[in-house]
Amino acid sequence: MAMGRRKTDRQDALFITADHLPKSQGHPFYQALNRLLAEAGFDRWIEARCEPFYEQVETRGQRSIPPGTYFRMLLVGYFEGIDSQRGIAWRCADSLSLRQFLGLTLEENSPDHSTLSITRRRLPPEVFGEVFQFVLKIAAEKKLLSGKTVGVDSTTLEADAA
């Protein structure tokens, strides 16, 4: 078998038909998590919970990202150990399976880090705690948790924003 060589000076196609676009089998973990969230009515619940914090007037700016998409991006950051919004936005934009998890089509842009920051500032801290409890409750009901005790040790440090 002959060795393939990487082509460095090639021209990309100008047009690609939809049937030639790359397809992802999806990540089994995120597919299962999406099924669990759908069964529990997560998107309807979080949209109703976040509605008071959004303007009801449609005349100002673009529509924001759905709260379900925002919190799924935060879950990606948590599960993959990504601690910056830029890192989360980059990872979600770069992965076909994560785009599927977020409910984004191939022609939609994934939310960027500034959109994540605006959304984070819009929502009060208790909403984040409620979402975390919601997801933990689903995991406990499905017997996906095996731990009995959690210990947290923390220290407050001054640091530059990443």
Side-chain angles (χ1 to χ4, degrees):
M1 178 182 288
M3 178 177 65
R5 300 221 182 258
R6 185 173 179 269
K7 298 176 184 170
T8 57
D9 57 344
R10 65 179 180 179
Q11 182 176 349
D12 288 332
L14 184 58
F15 298 102
I16 301 174
T17 59
D19 60 333
H20 288 96
L21 288 172
K23 304 225 179 343
S24 170
Q25 295 299 316
H27 192 286
F29 172 77
Y30 289 115
Q31 287 177 334
L33 180 58
N34 241 356
R35 268 193 312 277
L36 292 176
L37 293 174
E39 287 173 13
F42 175 74
D43 288 296
R44 286 187 311 278
W45 172 78
I46 194 62
E47 287 171 10
R49 179 63 181 97
C50 292
E51 191 171 13
F53 307 107
Y54 287 84
E55 291 184 27
Q56 301 304 315
V57 180
E58 300 281 334
T59 59
R60 291 187 54 197
Q62 298 181 39
R63 294 184 66 79
S64 65
I65 61 172
T69 301
Y70 172 72
F71 283 105
R72 278 179 176 83
M73 289 181 81
L74 293 185
L75 289 173
V76 167
Y78 177 75
F79 292 129
E80 298 195 9
I82 305 170
D83 58 357
S84 75
Q85 292 176 355
R86 285 180 191 269
I88 293 169
W90 176 84
R91 177 72 176 105
C92 291
D94 195 49
S95 170
L96 291 174
S97 61
L98 290 180
R99 292 177 64 80
Q100 185 180 35
F101 173 63
L102 299 174
L104 300 173
T105 63
L106 287 173
E107 56 272 346
E108 285 180 285
N109 288 328
S110 63
D112 65 3
H113 68 92
S114 63
T115 305
L116 297 177
S117 296
I118 291 167
T119 305
R120 184 191 74 239
R121 286 191 300 265
R122 171 174 282 151
L123 300 173
E126 56 268 10
V127 172
F128 293 89
E130 290 172 20
V131 169
F132 186 66
Q133 292 298 322
F134 188 96
V135 174
L136 282 178
K137 181 180 170 204
I138 293 169
E141 287 172 356
K142 298 293 182 177
K143 304 209 183 319
L144 299 174
L145 300 177
S146 60
K148 298 195 184 303
T149 306
V150 175
V152 176
D153 183 17
S154 64
T155 302
T156 303
L157 300 173
E158 294 291 326
D160 293 333

